[in-house]
Amino acid sequence: MDAEDRPKHMMPHDDELDSATAELLRRVYARHIDIDTAARHLWVIDAAARTARQARHTMRGARGRGRRAVVSLMMSLMLIGSSGMAVAASDGTLPGDSLYGVKRSTERIKLVLAVRADADAQMQLDIARQRWAEAQRAARDRPEVVSSLLRDTFQALDAAEANGGVIARHAHALRLVVAEGSTELALGQRDRRGRPEADARRGPSASSAGTPPTSPPADGTDGEGEPPAAATDEEETAAAAPPPPPRESTSPPPPATSTSPASTETSTAEVDADPDEENVDETSEEESAGPDGGDGTEKKPGPGTDPDDGDEGVSKESLDPHGNRSPEPEPSPSPSSPEPQ
Amino acid sequence: MPFSEKVAEGVRAGDPDAVGTVYVVLADRLLGYLMARVRDRATAEDLLEATFLELLQRGRTIRGGPAAIKVWLFRAAHFNALDHMRKVRRRAEDLCEDPHSLEVVDTGPGPEERAVSGDVSRRVRAAMKQLSDDQRQVLLLRYVGGLTAPETADVLSKTDGAVRSLQHRGERGLAHLLENEHGTAASSPQAETS
């Protein structure tokens, strides 16, 4: 069972489940076995099997063997009390040795950890997608909660990216989508599907060819682009797309200071935007703190901005909104960016 | 399938390695389900251990592959939890005490709980308690245990149709209860802020 399949196997059949209920109940009731408990349970299973085997041998009349089996079981029981010793002592054991079960249990525990890391990361990615979908809906109906939803989105993405691997790549791709899309939310754009409209509003630089979707919007533009559609599709495309060449700057410039037509547009848009300017500011800051930087050209308006998310193929580390490092294996422009080439 | 047919054969043969593999795959979900039933983490872990020991000892009686083993495990967990709750109630009756006072509720936040506000958790649990037993069981098996509707029907000895109906009613009931609760909370002076 490879790691990529494992999270799916652990998911229920979602076609008949209500997603809101699913998330709520999983968040409240989902549990993970801690490592000590798993070790104890696996050892008990092994010990019970050994005991049963030895009992069968004993019943066949091998009394000497039975006595030895009992002694070895007692030794195992004493040793398991200090599990570190037991694990170390079991290292060189072979099948038939009294501590061989400990060795196999240790291997299964490592498997539990590997499985769990993937499951945790997958759950966090699912939560991030859910928060992002909520943020987009809230932008229309309840703008005052958008910034907190975006904060939660980035937090979940941090957790999803923590262990690397395939899930981290998907999370990174989603981060780029969110970073770009959240700028639109901040500007109060309601029409996320009108890529040409968005471009028209932003100005010529927005539609210049080659600017990668999530990557740094062109000069003076705020991350516009195609409204994040199905996150999964975007993530996959973003993850699969090759990093675009370094080009224009990527981060949304501070609206007030930019002089390009797009910036002007931005400023104008801001005036029309969400009346809750604090949220807008917070969003902008969060965004700039996220890996929405592009080719490393520093135009990050906010503090804690990360060097970049490697849109341009440069392996860079990105900082999350909390300023923590999040190494990104690959930059992946999301197709969400509308660049109509 | 949660695990391979080869592992299922090993379980039926009483192979502890195969049982251990099934543990790795299903323990988290089973623990979540058991904790939702008995609320006490230590008890849930003990019941989980007992369930897997039963699988080791009685696996050879299971007819079928991985899906059958998964259903068998959840059914065993369901009945182990039921037995435990009956014992608690009997003990409480003997002592003339409130059964709930005999349970040590797991209040220590694990990593998962830290991600969920305690208030949200409390509200959801309170709402779940107001559903019927059957509705609650179905929701826990489907959403926490990760079982399909047919698998849930097998565990609870009900028809597929009955399970789907219970599920939908449970979902609607839960949403309604939480909405009312939220409305009440929002109008109170100490409305929770996220």
Side-chain angles (χ1 to χ4, degrees), chain A residues 101-140:
Chain A
V102 175
K103 180 180 180 181
R104 295 300 290 262
S105 297
T106 307
E107 286 169 0
R108 284 191 212 107
I109 290 161
K110 289 180 185 165
L111 195 53
V112 168
L113 288 177
V115 168
R116 176 171 315 157
D118 277 351
D120 276 350
Q122 182 65 50
M123 187 185 281
Q124 291 292 349
L125 181 59
D126 291 344
I127 288 172
R129 286 177 184 146
Q130 185 70 22
R131 295 288 86 78
W132 173 230
E134 287 167 4
Q136 292 171 77
R137 286 203 308 272
R140 287 190 299 271

mmCIF file of all heavy atoms in Angstrom, chain A residues 101-140:
data_model
loop_
_atom_site.group_PDB
_atom_site.id
_atom_site.type_symbol
_atom_site.label_atom_id
_atom_site.label_comp_id
_atom_site.label_asym_id
_atom_site.label_seq_id
_atom_site.Cartn_x
_atom_site.Cartn_y
_atom_site.Cartn_z
ATOM 1 N N GLY A 101 9.054 -10.574 18.549
ATOM 2 C CA GLY A 101 7.772 -9.890 18.450
ATOM 3 C C GLY A 101 7.909 -8.393 18.696
ATOM 4 O O GLY A 101 7.226 -7.578 18.070
ATOM 5 N N VAL A 102 8.797 -8.021 19.600
ATOM 6 C CA VAL A 102 9.023 -6.594 19.871
ATOM 7 C C VAL A 102 9.589 -5.924 18.636
ATOM 8 O O VAL A 102 9.218 -4.809 18.272
ATOM 9 C CB VAL A 102 9.982 -6.421 21.067
ATOM 10 C CG1 VAL A 102 10.328 -4.955 21.272
ATOM 11 C CG2 VAL A 102 9.353 -6.995 22.322
ATOM 12 N N LYS A 103 10.500 -6.618 17.988
ATOM 13 C CA LYS A 103 11.107 -6.049 16.783
ATOM 14 C C LYS A 103 10.035 -5.824 15.722
ATOM 15 O O LYS A 103 9.969 -4.757 15.097
ATOM 16 C CB LYS A 103 12.161 -7.016 16.274
ATOM 17 C CG LYS A 103 12.891 -6.567 15.027
ATOM 18 C CD LYS A 103 13.902 -7.645 14.673
ATOM 19 C CE LYS A 103 14.681 -7.286 13.445
ATOM 20 N NZ LYS A 103 15.628 -8.373 13.112
ATOM 21 N N ARG A 104 9.154 -6.775 15.507
ATOM 22 C CA ARG A 104 8.123 -6.622 14.489
ATOM 23 C C ARG A 104 7.124 -5.550 14.900
ATOM 24 O O ARG A 104 6.613 -4.796 14.067
ATOM 25 C CB ARG A 104 7.386 -7.956 14.281
ATOM 26 C CG ARG A 104 8.256 -9.063 13.726
ATOM 27 C CD ARG A 104 8.834 -8.697 12.385
ATOM 28 N NE ARG A 104 7.820 -8.671 11.356
ATOM 29 C CZ ARG A 104 7.588 -9.682 10.519
ATOM 30 N NH1 ARG A 104 8.293 -10.787 10.608
ATOM 31 N NH2 ARG A 104 6.669 -9.559 9.596
ATOM 32 N N SER A 105 6.864 -5.470 16.217
ATOM 33 C CA SER A 105 5.957 -4.433 16.693
ATOM 34 C C SER A 105 6.548 -3.051 16.427
ATOM 35 O O SER A 105 5.835 -2.128 16.044
ATOM 36 C CB SER A 105 5.705 -4.579 18.190
ATOM 37 O OG SER A 105 5.072 -5.803 18.454
ATOM 38 N N THR A 106 7.839 -2.923 16.646
ATOM 39 C CA THR A 106 8.489 -1.634 16.404
ATOM 40 C C THR A 106 8.353 -1.239 14.942
ATOM 41 O O THR A 106 8.104 -0.084 14.613
ATOM 42 C CB THR A 106 9.983 -1.714 16.789
ATOM 43 O OG1 THR A 106 10.085 -2.202 18.113
ATOM 44 C CG2 THR A 106 10.648 -0.363 16.685
ATOM 45 N N GLU A 107 8.512 -2.215 14.074
ATOM 46 C CA GLU A 107 8.360 -1.904 12.638
ATOM 47 C C GLU A 107 6.947 -1.444 12.339
ATOM 48 O O GLU A 107 6.742 -0.505 11.572
ATOM 49 C CB GLU A 107 8.665 -3.152 11.802
ATOM 50 C CG GLU A 107 10.123 -3.495 11.725
ATOM 51 C CD GLU A 107 10.350 -4.863 11.111
ATOM 52 O OE1 GLU A 107 9.359 -5.527 10.745
ATOM 53 O OE2 GLU A 107 11.515 -5.268 11.030
ATOM 54 N N ARG A 108 5.982 -2.072 12.958
ATOM 55 C CA ARG A 108 4.603 -1.671 12.685
ATOM 56 C C ARG A 108 4.331 -0.294 13.251
ATOM 57 O O ARG A 108 3.533 0.456 12.683
ATOM 58 C CB ARG A 108 3.633 -2.678 13.294
ATOM 59 C CG ARG A 108 3.561 -3.938 12.493
ATOM 60 C CD ARG A 108 2.430 -4.810 12.945
ATOM 61 N NE ARG A 108 2.810 -6.192 12.748
ATOM 62 C CZ ARG A 108 3.136 -7.035 13.694
ATOM 63 N NH1 ARG A 108 3.101 -6.652 14.946
ATOM 64 N NH2 ARG A 108 3.503 -8.252 13.421
ATOM 65 N N ILE A 109 4.941 0.032 14.348
ATOM 66 C CA ILE A 109 4.759 1.369 14.916
ATOM 67 C C ILE A 109 5.289 2.415 13.951
ATOM 68 O O ILE A 109 4.681 3.466 13.746
ATOM 69 C CB ILE A 109 5.467 1.485 16.271
ATOM 70 C CG1 ILE A 109 4.710 0.641 17.286
ATOM 71 C CG2 ILE A 109 5.533 2.925 16.735
ATOM 72 C CD1 ILE A 109 5.556 0.335 18.492
ATOM 73 N N LYS A 110 6.427 2.115 13.344
ATOM 74 C CA LYS A 110 6.963 3.064 12.365
ATOM 75 C C LYS A 110 5.988 3.215 11.216
ATOM 76 O O LYS A 110 5.799 4.305 10.669
ATOM 77 C CB LYS A 110 8.313 2.573 11.841
ATOM 78 C CG LYS A 110 9.407 2.677 12.859
ATOM 79 C CD LYS A 110 10.745 2.171 12.313
ATOM 80 C CE LYS A 110 11.792 2.178 13.407
ATOM 81 N NZ LYS A 110 12.966 1.395 13.073
ATOM 82 N N LEU A 111 5.357 2.122 10.869
ATOM 83 C CA LEU A 111 4.367 2.171 9.802
ATOM 84 C C LEU A 111 3.173 3.020 10.231
ATOM 85 O O LEU A 111 2.634 3.809 9.454
ATOM 86 C CB LEU A 111 3.919 0.737 9.497
ATOM 87 C CG LEU A 111 3.164 0.486 8.207
ATOM 88 C CD1 LEU A 111 3.921 1.032 7.050
ATOM 89 C CD2 LEU A 111 2.946 -1.007 8.051
ATOM 90 N N VAL A 112 2.770 2.864 11.496
ATOM 91 C CA VAL A 112 1.678 3.687 12.007
ATOM 92 C C VAL A 112 2.027 5.157 11.867
ATOM 93 O O VAL A 112 1.227 5.975 11.431
ATOM 94 C CB VAL A 112 1.392 3.371 13.498
ATOM 95 C CG1 VAL A 112 0.468 4.407 14.110
ATOM 96 C CG2 VAL A 112 0.769 1.997 13.637
ATOM 97 N N LEU A 113 3.256 5.502 12.230
ATOM 98 C CA LEU A 113 3.671 6.904 12.155
ATOM 99 C C LEU A 113 3.646 7.402 10.725
ATOM 100 O O LEU A 113 3.202 8.506 10.451
ATOM 101 C CB LEU A 113 5.076 7.075 12.726
ATOM 102 C CG LEU A 113 5.188 6.946 14.245
ATOM 103 C CD1 LEU A 113 6.643 7.076 14.664
ATOM 104 C CD2 LEU A 113 4.347 7.986 14.935
ATOM 105 N N ALA A 114 4.126 6.576 9.822
ATOM 106 C CA ALA A 114 4.154 7.002 8.425
ATOM 107 C C ALA A 114 2.739 7.169 7.900
ATOM 108 O O ALA A 114 2.412 8.135 7.229
ATOM 109 C CB ALA A 114 4.911 5.982 7.582
ATOM 110 N N VAL A 115 1.888 6.208 8.242
ATOM 111 C CA VAL A 115 0.502 6.292 7.789
ATOM 112 C C VAL A 115 -0.160 7.518 8.388
ATOM 113 O O VAL A 115 -0.871 8.266 7.738
ATOM 114 C CB VAL A 115 -0.278 5.024 8.206
ATOM 115 C CG1 VAL A 115 -1.765 5.226 8.016
ATOM 116 C CG2 VAL A 115 0.200 3.842 7.400
ATOM 117 N N ARG A 116 0.092 7.722 9.671
ATOM 118 C CA ARG A 116 -0.579 8.825 10.347
ATOM 119 C C ARG A 116 -0.126 10.162 9.791
ATOM 120 O O ARG A 116 -0.933 11.069 9.655
ATOM 121 C CB ARG A 116 -0.304 8.782 11.836
ATOM 122 C CG ARG A 116 -0.923 10.003 12.521
ATOM 123 C CD ARG A 116 -0.854 9.891 13.988
ATOM 124 N NE ARG A 116 -1.246 8.568 14.399
ATOM 125 C CZ ARG A 116 -0.877 8.035 15.541
ATOM 126 N NH1 ARG A 116 -0.118 8.711 16.368
ATOM 127 N NH2 ARG A 116 -1.254 6.828 15.860
ATOM 128 N N ALA A 117 1.177 10.266 9.520
ATOM 129 C CA ALA A 117 1.652 11.553 9.012
ATOM 130 C C ALA A 117 0.910 11.901 7.729
ATOM 131 O O ALA A 117 0.476 13.027 7.528
ATOM 132 C CB ALA A 117 3.157 11.493 8.775
ATOM 133 N N ASP A 118 0.753 10.894 6.874
ATOM 134 C CA ASP A 118 0.018 11.138 5.636
ATOM 135 C C ASP A 118 -1.433 11.472 5.915
ATOM 136 O O ASP A 118 -2.006 12.371 5.299
ATOM 137 C CB ASP A 118 0.055 9.886 4.748
ATOM 138 C CG ASP A 118 1.346 9.829 3.953
ATOM 139 O OD1 ASP A 118 2.096 10.825 3.971
ATOM 140 O OD2 ASP A 118 1.605 8.795 3.331
ATOM 141 N N ALA A 119 -2.035 10.727 6.839
ATOM 142 C CA ALA A 119 -3.456 10.961 7.120
ATOM 143 C C ALA A 119 -3.663 12.338 7.736
ATOM 144 O O ALA A 119 -4.595 13.055 7.403
ATOM 145 C CB ALA A 119 -3.989 9.876 8.058
ATOM 146 N N ASP A 120 -2.748 12.727 8.638
ATOM 147 C CA ASP A 120 -2.822 14.057 9.245
ATOM 148 C C ASP A 120 -2.709 15.121 8.173
ATOM 149 O O ASP A 120 -3.493 16.064 8.135
ATOM 150 C CB ASP A 120 -1.652 14.261 10.224
ATOM 151 C CG ASP A 120 -1.975 13.686 11.583
ATOM 152 O OD1 ASP A 120 -3.138 13.311 11.801
ATOM 153 O OD2 ASP A 120 -1.054 13.608 12.424
ATOM 154 N N ALA A 121 -1.707 14.948 7.327
ATOM 155 C CA ALA A 121 -1.475 15.960 6.297
ATOM 156 C C ALA A 121 -2.681 16.028 5.365
ATOM 157 O O ALA A 121 -3.119 17.114 4.976
ATOM 158 C CB ALA A 121 -0.203 15.632 5.509
ATOM 159 N N GLN A 122 -3.234 14.885 5.019
ATOM 160 C CA GLN A 122 -4.395 14.872 4.131
ATOM 161 C C GLN A 122 -5.575 15.563 4.787
ATOM 162 O O GLN A 122 -6.295 16.348 4.156
ATOM 163 C CB GLN A 122 -4.763 13.423 3.776
ATOM 164 C CG GLN A 122 -5.940 13.293 2.816
ATOM 165 C CD GLN A 122 -5.627 13.861 1.453
ATOM 166 O OE1 GLN A 122 -4.606 13.553 0.852
ATOM 167 N NE2 GLN A 122 -6.503 14.718 0.955
ATOM 168 N N MET A 123 -5.762 15.291 6.071
ATOM 169 C CA MET A 123 -6.876 15.927 6.784
ATOM 170 C C MET A 123 -6.691 17.432 6.808
ATOM 171 O O MET A 123 -7.637 18.198 6.606
ATOM 172 C CB MET A 123 -6.977 15.367 8.210
ATOM 173 C CG MET A 123 -8.213 15.867 8.956
ATOM 174 S SD MET A 123 -8.267 15.330 10.682
ATOM 175 C CE MET A 123 -8.846 13.667 10.525
ATOM 176 N N GLN A 124 -5.457 17.868 7.059
ATOM 177 C CA GLN A 124 -5.198 19.306 7.086
ATOM 178 C C GLN A 124 -5.435 19.926 5.713
ATOM 179 O O GLN A 124 -5.962 21.044 5.601
ATOM 180 C CB GLN A 124 -3.749 19.577 7.537
ATOM 181 C CG GLN A 124 -3.471 19.243 8.988
ATOM 182 C CD GLN A 124 -4.190 20.167 9.949
ATOM 183 O OE1 GLN A 124 -4.747 21.203 9.571
ATOM 184 N NE2 GLN A 124 -4.211 19.803 11.213
ATOM 185 N N LEU A 125 -5.061 19.198 4.685
ATOM 186 C CA LEU A 125 -5.287 19.717 3.331
ATOM 187 C C LEU A 125 -6.779 19.823 3.054
ATOM 188 O O LEU A 125 -7.250 20.813 2.481
ATOM 189 C CB LEU A 125 -4.612 18.804 2.311
ATOM 190 C CG LEU A 125 -4.736 19.213 0.835
ATOM 191 C CD1 LEU A 125 -4.155 20.594 0.603
ATOM 192 C CD2 LEU A 125 -4.008 18.198 -0.047
ATOM 193 N N ASP A 126 -7.526 18.825 3.476
ATOM 194 C CA ASP A 126 -8.984 18.872 3.300
ATOM 195 C C ASP A 126 -9.571 20.060 4.049
ATOM 196 O O ASP A 126 -10.465 20.752 3.557
ATOM 197 C CB ASP A 126 -9.632 17.581 3.828
ATOM 198 C CG ASP A 126 -9.292 16.378 2.973
ATOM 199 O OD1 ASP A 126 -8.816 16.570 1.831
ATOM 200 O OD2 ASP A 126 -9.477 15.244 3.455
ATOM 201 N N ILE A 127 -9.075 20.269 5.255
ATOM 202 C CA ILE A 127 -9.569 21.399 6.045
ATOM 203 C C ILE A 127 -9.220 22.714 5.361
ATOM 204 O O ILE A 127 -10.039 23.635 5.302
ATOM 205 C CB ILE A 127 -8.973 21.360 7.472
ATOM 206 C CG1 ILE A 127 -9.616 20.202 8.255
ATOM 207 C CG2 ILE A 127 -9.185 22.680 8.204
ATOM 208 C CD1 ILE A 127 -8.962 19.951 9.601
ATOM 209 N N ALA A 128 -8.011 22.803 4.832
ATOM 210 C CA ALA A 128 -7.610 24.032 4.139
ATOM 211 C C ALA A 128 -8.533 24.299 2.953
ATOM 212 O O ALA A 128 -8.970 25.431 2.718
ATOM 213 C CB ALA A 128 -6.155 23.934 3.677
ATOM 214 N N ARG A 129 -8.850 23.260 2.210
ATOM 215 C CA ARG A 129 -9.741 23.430 1.057
ATOM 216 C C ARG A 129 -11.118 23.916 1.509
ATOM 217 O O ARG A 129 -11.734 24.772 0.884
ATOM 218 C CB ARG A 129 -9.912 22.098 0.313
ATOM 219 C CG ARG A 129 -8.699 21.704 -0.495
ATOM 220 C CD ARG A 129 -8.903 20.364 -1.140
ATOM 221 N NE ARG A 129 -7.716 19.931 -1.849
ATOM 222 C CZ ARG A 129 -7.338 18.668 -1.949
ATOM 223 N NH1 ARG A 129 -8.038 17.723 -1.380
ATOM 224 N NH2 ARG A 129 -6.258 18.359 -2.620
ATOM 225 N N GLN A 130 -11.550 23.324 2.615
ATOM 226 C CA GLN A 130 -12.877 23.701 3.118
ATOM 227 C C GLN A 130 -12.887 25.171 3.550
ATOM 228 O O GLN A 130 -13.805 25.921 3.243
ATOM 229 C CB GLN A 130 -13.233 22.782 4.302
ATOM 230 C CG GLN A 130 -14.635 22.984 4.860
ATOM 231 C CD GLN A 130 -15.707 22.513 3.904
ATOM 232 O OE1 GLN A 130 -15.457 21.694 3.027
ATOM 233 N NE2 GLN A 130 -16.901 23.038 4.049
ATOM 234 N N ARG A 131 -11.855 25.589 4.279
ATOM 235 C CA ARG A 131 -11.780 26.982 4.745
ATOM 236 C C ARG A 131 -11.716 27.937 3.559
ATOM 237 O O ARG A 131 -12.326 29.011 3.566
ATOM 238 C CB ARG A 131 -10.554 27.221 5.628
ATOM 239 C CG ARG A 131 -10.527 26.481 6.965
ATOM 240 C CD ARG A 131 -11.523 27.065 7.971
ATOM 241 N NE ARG A 131 -12.824 26.469 7.773
ATOM 242 C CZ ARG A 131 -13.148 25.266 8.203
ATOM 243 N NH1 ARG A 131 -12.277 24.535 8.866
ATOM 244 N NH2 ARG A 131 -14.325 24.757 7.982
ATOM 245 N N TRP A 132 -10.991 27.550 2.533
ATOM 246 C CA TRP A 132 -10.845 28.409 1.363
ATOM 247 C C TRP A 132 -12.192 28.540 0.653
ATOM 248 O O TRP A 132 -12.595 29.635 0.244
ATOM 249 C CB TRP A 132 -9.771 27.852 0.438
ATOM 250 C CG TRP A 132 -9.620 28.545 -0.876
ATOM 251 C CD1 TRP A 132 -9.587 27.971 -2.097
ATOM 252 C CD2 TRP A 132 -9.490 29.961 -1.110
ATOM 253 N NE1 TRP A 132 -9.435 28.929 -3.075
ATOM 254 C CE2 TRP A 132 -9.378 30.158 -2.494
ATOM 255 C CE3 TRP A 132 -9.458 31.074 -0.271
ATOM 256 C CZ2 TRP A 132 -9.222 31.414 -3.070
ATOM 257 C CZ3 TRP A 132 -9.312 32.334 -0.846
ATOM 258 C CH2 TRP A 132 -9.202 32.492 -2.226
ATOM 259 N N ALA A 133 -12.901 27.411 0.530
ATOM 260 C CA ALA A 133 -14.225 27.465 -0.105
ATOM 261 C C ALA A 133 -15.150 28.364 0.718
ATOM 262 O O ALA A 133 -15.921 29.162 0.180
ATOM 263 C CB ALA A 133 -14.807 26.056 -0.218
ATOM 264 N N GLU A 134 -15.044 28.253 2.035
ATOM 265 C CA GLU A 134 -15.882 29.088 2.900
ATOM 266 C C GLU A 134 -15.517 30.561 2.754
ATOM 267 O O GLU A 134 -16.385 31.437 2.755
ATOM 268 C CB GLU A 134 -15.714 28.658 4.364
ATOM 269 C CG GLU A 134 -16.379 27.335 4.686
ATOM 270 C CD GLU A 134 -15.939 26.790 6.043
ATOM 271 O OE1 GLU A 134 -15.184 27.484 6.767
ATOM 272 O OE2 GLU A 134 -16.337 25.665 6.379
ATOM 273 N N ALA A 135 -14.224 30.829 2.640
ATOM 274 C CA ALA A 135 -13.789 32.221 2.503
ATOM 275 C C ALA A 135 -14.353 32.830 1.224
ATOM 276 O O ALA A 135 -14.797 33.985 1.206
ATOM 277 C CB ALA A 135 -12.262 32.302 2.505
ATOM 278 N N GLN A 136 -14.356 32.041 0.184
ATOM 279 C CA GLN A 136 -14.889 32.567 -1.078
ATOM 280 C C GLN A 136 -16.386 32.823 -0.965
ATOM 281 O O GLN A 136 -16.899 33.826 -1.465
ATOM 282 C CB GLN A 136 -14.627 31.562 -2.205
ATOM 283 C CG GLN A 136 -13.159 31.424 -2.535
ATOM 284 C CD GLN A 136 -12.915 30.293 -3.488
ATOM 285 O OE1 GLN A 136 -13.151 30.401 -4.677
ATOM 286 N NE2 GLN A 136 -12.448 29.182 -2.975
ATOM 287 N N ARG A 137 -17.077 31.911 -0.318
ATOM 288 C CA ARG A 137 -18.529 32.141 -0.146
ATOM 289 C C ARG A 137 -18.761 33.322 0.778
ATOM 290 O O ARG A 137 -19.644 34.142 0.555
ATOM 291 C CB ARG A 137 -19.193 30.899 0.447
ATOM 292 C CG ARG A 137 -19.346 29.735 -0.511
ATOM 293 C CD ARG A 137 -20.450 28.794 -0.074
ATOM 294 N NE ARG A 137 -20.325 28.367 1.311
ATOM 295 C CZ ARG A 137 -19.632 27.314 1.732
ATOM 296 N NH1 ARG A 137 -18.970 26.581 0.862
ATOM 297 N NH2 ARG A 137 -19.579 26.986 3.007
ATOM 298 N N ALA A 138 -17.969 33.413 1.824
ATOM 299 C CA ALA A 138 -18.151 34.479 2.805
ATOM 300 C C ALA A 138 -17.873 35.844 2.194
ATOM 301 O O ALA A 138 -18.438 36.848 2.615
ATOM 302 C CB ALA A 138 -17.228 34.252 4.010
ATOM 303 N N ALA A 139 -17.002 35.880 1.192
ATOM 304 C CA ALA A 139 -16.694 37.162 0.550
ATOM 305 C C ALA A 139 -17.967 37.776 -0.015
ATOM 306 O O ALA A 139 -18.113 38.992 -0.086
ATOM 307 C CB ALA A 139 -15.654 36.963 -0.537
ATOM 308 N N ARG A 140 -18.886 36.892 -0.416
ATOM 309 C CA ARG A 140 -20.150 37.403 -0.958
ATOM 310 C C ARG A 140 -21.139 37.704 0.162
ATOM 311 O O ARG A 140 -21.836 38.699 0.142
ATOM 312 C CB ARG A 140 -20.788 36.353 -1.877
ATOM 313 C CG ARG A 140 -20.119 36.163 -3.205
ATOM 314 C CD ARG A 140 -20.984 35.304 -4.102
ATOM 315 N NE ARG A 140 -21.208 33.979 -3.552
ATOM 316 C CZ ARG A 140 -20.415 32.935 -3.765
ATOM 317 N NH1 ARG A 140 -19.329 33.060 -4.504
ATOM 318 N NH2 ARG A 140 -20.678 31.761 -3.247
#
